[in-house]
Amino acid sequence: MGISLPVPVVTIGLLIASNIFMTVAWYGHLKFKTAPLVTVIFISWFIAFFEYVMQVPANRIGYGHFSAAQLKTIQEVISLSVFALFSWIYLGEKVGWQHGVGFGLICLGAWFIFHDFG
């Protein structure tokens, strides 16, 4: 007898994992400026493969429970959250108050996507 997790838990968990891979694929090479561009492109493609291995099932599993707009909104909020942590921890970039305000406005937009006012 297997454990069956709720659709939102599976969907969001896969989207978080997917976005970690995506962020590493897109931005991880920035610390390796001397590596040949073609090398980092192929390494990024390899990493991005695992992003797709999680992103596609997340959307397939989540669609129906969530609308396409809601899935995309969840993905974007997760993507920005993962990127903020990545840029701070891995790239050593400063995260300021203006980033918090901008992220808050994005979350406000996400709140509107998830509410049906009509």
Side-chain angles (χ1 to χ4, degrees):
M1 178 163 106
I3 297 173
S4 180
L5 296 173
V7 168
V9 172
V10 174
T11 301
I12 292 169
L14 285 169
L15 288 174
I16 289 169
S18 167
N19 275 280
I20 291 169
F21 280 98
M22 177 192 72
T23 301
V24 171
W26 285 13
Y27 302 101
H29 62 87
L30 295 178
K31 281 190 143 181
F32 303 97
K33 296 290 277 180
T34 59
L37 185 57
V38 71
T39 301
V40 296
I41 288 170
F42 282 111
I43 291 170
S44 292
W45 279 352
F46 176 76
I47 295 168
F49 169 78
F50 296 100
E51 180 230 341
Y52 277 84
V53 166
M54 289 173 255
Q55 179 78 12
V56 172
N59 287 325
R60 173 82 52 109
I61 293 165
Y63 187 65
H65 184 87
F66 299 108
S67 70
Q70 289 173 329
L71 282 169
K72 183 60 178 171
T73 302
I74 294 166
Q75 188 275 327
E76 290 299 335
V77 170
I78 291 170
S79 179
L80 288 170
S81 300
V82 169
F83 179 77
L85 289 170
F86 180 85
S87 64
W88 173 55
I89 294 168
Y90 182 77
L91 296 176
E93 294 188 0
K94 184 178 173 184
V95 178
W97 67 268
Q98 68 276 23
H99 299 105
V101 170
F103 188 71
L105 291 171
I106 290 167
C107 288
L108 179 62
W111 180 82
F112 278 99
I113 297 291
F114 278 86
H115 286 81
D116 184 11
F117 297 104

